[in-house]
Amino acid sequence: MGILETIRDPLDVKNLAAGQLPRLAAEIRDLLITSVARAGGHLGPNLGVVELTIALHRVFDSPRDRILFDTGHQAYVHKMLTGRAGDFGTLRQEGGLSGYPSQAESEHDVIENSHASTALSYADGLAKAFRLRQESDRTVVAVIGDGALTGGMAWEALNNIAGHKDLPLIVVVNDNGRSYSPTIGGLASHLSSLRMTQGYEHALELVKNNLGRVPVVGGPLYETLHGVKKGLKDIFSPQVMFEDLGLKYVGPIDGHDEEAVEAALRRARAFRGPVIVHVLTRKGNGYSHAENHDEDCFHSPQPFDVETGEERPRPHSWTNVFSEEMVKIGAERQDVVAITAAMLHPTGLAAFADAYPDRIYDVGIAEQHALTSAAGLALGGLHPVVAVYATFLNRAFDQLLMDVALHRLPVTVVLDRAGVTGDDGASHNGMWDLSILQVVPGLSIAVPRDAVRLRELLAESLGVEGGPSVVRFPKGAVPKEIEAVGKLGEMDVLRAGDPDVLRAGDPDVLLVAVGPMAEICMEAATLLDAQGISATVVDPRWVKPLDEALVLAASAHKLVVVVEDNGRVGGVGDAVARLLRDADVDVPVRTYGIPQRFLDPAKRAKILADIGLTGQDLAREITEAVAKRSPVLEGHPARQV
């Protein structure tokens, strides 16, 4: 039996002899590699924190002490050491272990976060709560990467943590020089210099000991020297960044030396106040294919071959199409610049960066700054394209509203991974944007249904000059192309009994297909036709503002059905209903979308089926809805048993 198989809770980790720890670390790495190779997941970040996580559970008493991970994708080892190693083969699968901490899984999981730069604020509040409850024996530990420290919220938290000298709170900076790709910016340069120089504490101690032996002048001279310690720190170790905030600093420590990390954590715990423990790790450590992977050290690979490191081929994706089109646009328009928030490769901007290196800005994990910086670029006469995952736009809503839209600036926001994303769980589903963006004045939103429309709508969005625009698309492979059979205003008519849908003989249902939902709506229309129910399918292309032609189309049908890959509340369906109400068109509207709940991990197709977003489900519900309004259909031959 391996050592890892004997670990049921952190107490078992504490009881191991120091000589057993290297073997435990090796077993953890083997399980990480084989599990992620089979199902995909976050490999590089977890290979880098094996020794660190072992040390955390040997020093602290989880769950009484609270260990928080920012972001949660570096918590795989923590899951193993808290009794879940035996279930690790179910990682990121339906009914299995989440790819992030999960309160439903374990009392050792505190926060279910996958949005970076948040853990320090949680930790600040937890530590203050323990102090007020007089639970002085409890410690809060927040593990945060150097990449997450590029987020402004982390520094807001540090500023507050430093103001409370008696908080038993330890901040472990897991410094591997990377977020997805290498961490950028002034902070990254500063931490890099800390990695290179570790002599300040030793130098100051040496000076103090020697000056103390000099009669009369020794003590005063040391005090003078100590008074200019900021200058010394700049020379020997620029840790002034943390210490001048009033935070005790320990490090840098070799994060793969478990004994050294454990000793540093024990020192920090004994201090009983806010402490920064700076730990240097290597992303992908212990697996050569990850260590040597230049792009992101196997941050989140697809299933791969363990021996060769080769990933399973990926289908041509929405992201690929966007990437290719941005390079073409860059050649045609010198005013187009691009911004990414530490996700150059995941959002498809790497090719643009290679082609136009002076027109790409990676701002780190700082979506708020990304939007307001884009506003500045637009004020300067450029047209910025800000590419982020849809779920992360939530963090920059105020900046989009007040810094971009208020000034009617031409900024295009491209939302990747919109709608159901699946495997990464609740925090990654991009199911909020079509709801929260409805309230932004002057904002235009385009939703392409296929690759051709993505290219068209991206070009059109870059032609919007009177305010911001958004283009959103889902995760995964691009669906087959669906050609329009006609136009209705600026909308595409995808299916109609008559090319002129307004003279189609009083059709039953108008299906408004939002972007990639077009394929499902076309399938539903075919099934409805077999039931004797005529259906028109239109793709609005632009869902904000809605085309006024939709009013005429709706008035010619008995029922309007809106299908969207977004939360049902406040989305496109509600906007369509409001448009018709304002026009005094009294046609019933049914909305089909994502229920307003946090979705458990599963494949995208499985989730869509579970929530009823399939052609068959839609056809069944629409048939029932039409039957209630048209009893004659009950006698239609196609509906006889």
Side-chain angles (χ1 to χ4, degrees):
M1 177 180 286
I3 296 176
L4 185 57
E5 294 175 84
T6 69
I7 303 298
R8 297 291 178 265
D9 60 51
L11 184 60
D12 294 328
V13 182
K14 290 178 182 290
N15 290 334
L16 293 175
Q20 294 177 287
L21 300 182
R23 180 180 166 192
L24 174 62
E27 292 179 10
I28 290 171
R29 284 194 167 89
D30 285 345
L31 183 54
L32 283 171
I33 294 167
T34 55
S35 297
V36 177
R38 182 171 55 253
H42 291 96
L43 181 59
N46 288 285
L47 289 171
V49 297
V50 174
E51 289 80 9
L52 169 59
T53 310
I54 292 172
L56 285 168
H57 282 295
R58 284 175 65 82
V59 173
F60 300 101
D61 299 315
S62 179
R64 178 133 187 101
D65 292 329
R66 307 303 264 163
I67 302 174
L68 286 63
F69 290 89
D70 184 333
T71 62
H73 65 229
Q74 59 182 321
Y76 288 11
V77 184
H78 164 78
K79 287 175 181 275
M80 293 182 188
L81 298 182
T82 52
R84 287 168 277 179
D87 296 324
F88 212 71
T90 68
L91 183 72
R92 300 173 78 244
Q93 298 174 32
E94 184 180 9
L97 293 181
S98 168
Y100 293 90
S102 169
Q103 293 177 344
E105 283 181 17
S106 172
E107 62 180 344
H108 298 280
D109 290 3
V110 185
I111 51 175
E112 304 186 14
N113 67 322
S114 64
H115 288 199
S117 312
T118 61
L120 300 188
S121 296
Y122 282 113
D124 175 59
L126 265 172
K128 289 172 180 173
F130 292 161
R131 183 179 60 184
L132 283 173
R133 292 164 61 91
Q134 298 183 347
E135 297 175 346
S136 58
D137 61 329
R138 304 183 74 177
T139 302
V140 180
V141 185
V143 182
I144 184 168
D146 59 299
L149 279 178
T150 61
M153 187 174 172
W155 291 94
E156 294 174 19
L158 282 174
N159 181 56
N160 281 272
I161 290 167
H164 297 269
K165 306 301 182 185
D166 58 343
L167 284 182
L169 195 164
I170 296 169
V171 177
V172 178
V173 177
N174 172 30
D175 181 6
N176 60 23
R178 287 175 170 267
S179 45
Y180 283 80
S181 301
T183 307
I184 55 84
L187 173 65
S189 299
H190 198 94
L191 288 177
S192 178
S193 64
L194 280 175
R195 295 183 206 114
M196 300 298 179
T197 58
Q198 303 183 39
Y200 166 70
E201 293 289 350
H202 297 298
L204 190 60
E205 189 66 26
L206 180 65
V207 171
K208 179 179 179 181
N209 291 339
N210 282 285
L211 283 180
R213 301 191 189 115
V214 179
V216 185
V217 299
L221 185 57
Y222 170 74
E223 293 303 323
T224 301
L225 185 59
H226 198 269
V228 294
K229 64 180 181 178
K230 181 173 180 178
L232 276 178
K233 288 176 184 176
D234 287 339
I235 296 171
F236 292 109
S237 180
Q239 61 201 47
V240 62
M241 174 176 64
F242 296 116
E243 287 198 344
D244 276 9
L245 276 173
L247 297 167
K248 183 69 176 176
Y249 174 90
V250 178
I253 310 296
D254 180 354
H256 302 297
D257 183 337
E258 193 281 333
E259 185 178 357
V261 176
E262 192 174 323
L265 292 174
R266 293 190 189 282
R267 285 174 57 200
R269 182 173 189 171
F271 184 66
R272 304 310 295 167
V275 183
I276 298 284
V277 179
H278 184 191
V279 177
L280 307 182
T281 63
R282 292 182 298 277
K283 193 172 183 179
N285 187 66
Y287 181 52
S288 60
H289 296 299
E291 291 180 10
N292 299 323
H293 188 252
D294 291 335
E295 181 177 314
D296 63 7
C297 295
F298 272 24
H299 178 88
S300 181
Q302 294 291 305
F304 62 92
D305 183 276
V306 173
E307 296 300 321
T308 65
E310 291 186 19
E311 293 183 64
R312 186 181 300 167
R314 305 185 187 211
H316 198 63
S317 69
W318 291 92
T319 308
N320 294 142
V321 176
F322 166 67
S323 176
E324 295 160 359
E325 200 61 23
M326 277 296 292
V327 173
K328 294 178 183 177
I329 289 169
E332 298 165 358
R333 289 187 52 171
Q334 298 299 310
D335 64 321
V336 171
V337 295
I339 300 176
T340 177
M343 302 184 75
L344 188 69
H345 291 276
T347 59
L349 286 177
F352 186 90
D354 290 340
Y356 318 106
D358 58 338
R359 291 156 58 190
I360 183 79
Y361 303 98
D362 187 341
V363 300
I365 302 178
E367 291 84 2
Q368 293 172 303
H369 170 68
L371 265 296
T372 305
S373 179
L377 287 163
L379 284 168
L382 300 174
H383 193 120
V385 175
V386 183
V388 295
Y389 283 6
T391 183
F392 297 137
L393 181 67
N394 303 352
R395 315 184 73 173
F397 172 76
D398 182 69
Q399 287 69 30
L400 180 61
L401 177 68
M402 292 299 178
D403 301 336
V404 180
L406 177 64
H407 298 94
R408 297 179 294 279
L409 294 172
V411 173
T412 295
V413 180
V414 174
L415 301 181
D416 199 333
R417 272 70 163 177
V420 171
T421 57
D423 307 56
D424 280 329
S427 61
H428 266 53
N429 289 310
M431 56 181 283
W432 322 104
D433 56 288
L434 290 181
S435 299
I436 63 175
L437 295 180
Q438 289 291 335
V439 304
V440 179
L443 174 70
S444 302
I445 305 174
V447 189
R449 66 180 179 270
D450 54 31
V452 173
R453 258 44 66 171
L454 173 52
R455 296 186 178 97
E456 290 176 355
L457 290 169
L458 181 59
E460 290 178 26
S461 71
L462 289 168
V464 176
E465 294 297 332
S469 57
V470 168
V471 180
R472 57 110 69 179
F473 50 80
K475 177 182 180 181
V478 183
K480 64 182 180 181
E481 183 180 340
I482 301 176
E483 285 292 347
V485 297
K487 296 290 286 187
L488 189 60
E490 294 301 314
M491 299 187 297
D492 283 347
V493 179
L494 307 184
R495 189 183 195 279
D498 186 301
D500 185 349
V501 296
L502 299 184
R503 297 188 180 86
D506 195 24
D508 296 302
V509 180
L510 175 65
L511 273 166
V512 181
V514 178
M517 296 293 99
E519 188 172 16
I520 292 170
C521 289
M522 293 292 280
E523 179 186 348
T526 300
L527 294 171
L528 289 170
D529 187 62
Q531 296 294 320
I533 299 173
S534 58
T536 303
V537 182
V538 297
D539 172 9
R541 299 176 72 254
W542 290 92
V543 298
K544 184 180 187 301
L546 289 165
D547 197 313
E548 290 293 332
L550 191 58
V551 174
L552 293 175
S555 64
H557 292 76
K558 297 185 179 72
L559 176 68
V560 175
V561 174
V562 183
V563 185
E564 59 189 299
D565 190 7
N566 183 75
R568 293 182 64 244
V569 176
V572 179
D574 285 354
V576 170
R578 184 172 61 253
L579 176 71
L580 299 184
R581 286 196 305 270
D582 290 347
D584 288 328
V585 174
D586 191 20
V587 177
V589 178
R590 298 283 296 268
T591 298
Y592 294 89
I594 304 171
Q596 300 297 156
R597 66 171 187 263
F598 294 109
L599 303 174
D600 292 330
K603 295 298 182 185
R604 173 179 163 87
K606 181 63 166 59
I607 291 176
L608 291 177
D610 288 345
I611 63 178
L613 284 183
T614 68
Q616 188 170 15
D617 289 323
L618 288 174
R620 182 177 62 253
E621 294 216 11
I622 293 169
T623 298
E624 293 173 359
V626 171
K628 291 177 183 178
R629 291 169 174 80
S630 305
V632 69
L633 284 176
E634 295 297 336
H636 191 281
R639 305 201 66 195
Q640 301 304 306
V641 177

